[in-house]
Amino acid sequence: MNDTSFLRDAIESALDRTANRPVQRRQLLGVLAAMGLVSAGPAVAQTRRLVVCNWGGDALRHQPTAWGIPFERQSGIKVEFDGGGPSFGKIRTMVESRNVVWDVCDANLAAALNLGRRGYLEPIDWSRVDKAKVRPGFYNEWGVSHFLYSFVLTYDRRRYGDNPPKTWADFWNVKDFPGTRTLPDRILGALEGALMADGVAADWAQIYPIDERRALDKIREIKANTVFWKSGAESQQLMRQGEASMGMIWHTRSVVLRRERGSRIDFTWNQGVLIPAGWLVPKGNPAGKVAFDFIAATQSPESQVELLRLMGNGPANPAASALVPADLKPDNPTDDANMAVQILADADWHAENQDRVYNDYIKVITG
């Protein structure tokens, strides 16, 4: 019998059930293609979908508003967001197994260098993406910044009153500023803060290359008074619930906390560690060059100001500065006044040293 109607119906039903789950849909299409039940190229192309992976939370809620829906209207291509987090390991596994389900990943420029040098990323197509629409130096061969964020010193005003912590030296000073601290469970930001706490000037040329032993020894000093957060949501909850009285957390989380009704949480930009986020395109991404059309669309200064309004991300396009309203300037890491008191993270140093130093860091904070 050659009646394949049931089989076709089963395939259509399976595809329908994964319509709103882009990762599972891509995986299903790959399996069906391998079985010869669908054509890998045209079938994927006909879906006209682009999958963007970010880190969930507010990004999963607001990036579709700022970037996804406008691109859909402009291109007719459906943009789907996956909040599963584009970690190094996940991207590497997808590329090595030739089962790539993401088209664009929301990471940072250090990750772009780390993954790109190992062959896991597509080079940025500069015929589609405009270097002139990003701050000088905030791009590399495999990544281009779409916003900036900072690690900032965040504190409980009720706990410290008129004498809040203002520097990382204050953060490390548990005698004059008692209370539980919270630091990231990763080296980016934490090592820079430790060095400034130990007396290194808040100057890029003084911080880099990082003196690893000195920074790790300083982390060890404060370990007993510190909770090491694993996610932005966790850091936010630690501060909101009063489990930590001060923390090094992402400024986007600090902005949300400060905006809450009756909030007791504030933060300072002083000695913040400024980090250019970066769009990355995994090697062999299903949507091909369309990924770079999406990235180009996110360079719109108006859309970047909208993301600043929604979740506090600093615009990467310098043309956006003139569009930022006065009430958003205090929340903007790329405002001239705020940038002047921060240091810019060295993406090259972190790309070269992340894997090795991270292992030492974990031993310190868990040992």
Side-chain angles (χ1 to χ4, degrees):
M1 295 178 65
N2 295 319
D3 184 357
T4 60
S5 58
F6 174 79
L7 180 58
R8 288 198 305 271
D9 181 72
I11 292 172
E12 290 173 3
S13 177
L15 290 172
D16 285 344
R17 288 196 301 273
T18 60
N20 295 318
R21 291 177 290 172
V23 173
Q24 290 88 338
R25 185 181 179 86
R26 288 265 171 82
Q27 291 171 335
L28 175 61
L29 285 167
V31 171
L32 293 174
M35 296 171 65
L37 298 176
V38 299
S39 170
V44 174
Q46 287 169 10
T47 64
R48 292 184 64 77
R49 279 185 169 87
L50 181 87
V51 179
V52 179
C53 185
N54 62 31
W55 295 92
D58 290 337
L60 195 58
R61 288 190 292 273
H62 297 313
Q63 286 187 3
T65 301
W67 289 326
I69 294 171
F71 184 73
E72 288 178 0
R73 291 171 179 164
Q74 168 193 327
S75 67
I77 296 171
K78 177 69 174 175
V79 181
E80 297 174 343
F81 287 82
D82 179 347
S87 67
F88 180 98
K90 290 179 182 178
I91 293 173
R92 179 183 61 191
T93 299
M94 283 186 183
V95 174
E96 289 181 346
S97 65
R98 297 185 180 181
N99 187 28
V100 178
V101 295
W102 298 329
D103 294 298
V104 181
C105 295
D106 181 359
N108 58 50
L109 295 186
L113 289 172
N114 204 350
L115 286 158
R117 288 168 177 168
R118 290 169 166 80
Y120 296 125
L121 301 178
E122 300 285 354
I124 298 297
D125 185 344
W126 297 113
S127 70
R128 296 170 184 249
V129 181
D130 191 349
K131 286 183 181 179
K133 292 183 178 180
V134 65
R135 293 173 184 272
F138 288 3
Y139 57 82
N140 56 48
E141 184 177 351
W142 301 279
V144 56
S145 185
H146 50 308
F147 64 79
L148 288 92
Y149 63 99
S150 300
F151 281 104
V152 294
L153 200 171
T154 304
Y155 58 88
D156 187 330
R157 289 197 313 270
R158 186 174 60 189
R159 180 70 184 264
Y160 301 109
D162 295 332
N163 184 37
K166 302 177 181 67
T167 66
W168 295 116
D170 292 342
F171 187 94
W172 255 257
N173 183 353
V174 295
K175 178 181 178 182
D176 296 329
F177 297 91
T180 299
R181 277 75 166 142
T182 186
L183 285 169
D185 71 341
R186 64 213 70 186
I187 67 170
L188 181 58
L191 298 188
E192 288 88 345
L195 289 180
M196 286 184 273
D198 203 42
V200 177
D203 177 78
W204 188 92
Q206 299 298 313
I207 296 290
Y208 301 104
I210 287 177
D211 184 334
E212 302 157 22
R213 292 301 106 200
R214 183 176 179 180
L216 291 172
D217 285 345
K218 197 67 177 177
I219 296 286
R220 193 175 286 108
E221 284 181 15
I222 205 174
K223 182 179 69 171
N225 303 89
T226 304
V227 176
F228 293 89
W229 57 265
K230 295 179 174 59
S231 70
E234 182 185 7
S235 71
Q236 190 171 324
Q237 282 298 98
L238 287 167
M239 294 300 302
R240 179 186 288 127
Q241 295 176 356
E243 295 179 49
S245 54
M246 67 175 80
M248 172 185 278
I249 69 176
W250 292 322
H251 89 275
T252 48
R253 297 288 179 169
S254 303
V255 166
V256 170
L257 288 166
R258 185 164 69 179
R259 289 178 179 176
E260 291 176 348
R261 184 186 298 273
S263 175
R264 64 183 192 282
I265 305 300
D266 206 346
F267 70 92
T268 177
W269 292 109
N270 187 46
Q271 297 187 347
V273 181
L274 183 66
I275 302 157
W279 287 131
L280 322 179
V281 177
K283 191 82 169 178
N285 70 297
K289 293 289 188 179
V290 172
F292 298 109
D293 295 333
F294 171 79
I295 291 174
T298 68
Q299 294 186 293
S300 156
E302 292 82 5
S303 70
Q304 293 188 5
V305 172
E306 175 67 1
L307 198 69
L308 171 64
R309 183 186 69 80
L310 291 170
M311 55 183 298
N313 294 114
N317 187 337
S321 297
L323 305 179
V324 176
D327 64 311
L328 289 182
K329 289 181 182 293
D331 297 340
N332 180 13
T334 58
D335 182 77
D336 288 344
N338 298 335
M339 283 189 73
V341 295
Q342 301 182 76
I343 66 162
L344 178 65
D346 187 334
D348 283 286
W349 188 90
H350 281 279
E352 289 291 333
N353 298 282
Q354 161 70 31
D355 297 344
R356 176 179 54 80
V357 182
Y358 174 73
N359 292 328
D360 293 336
Y361 184 71
I362 292 300
K363 291 176 184 177
V364 168
I365 69 176
T366 60

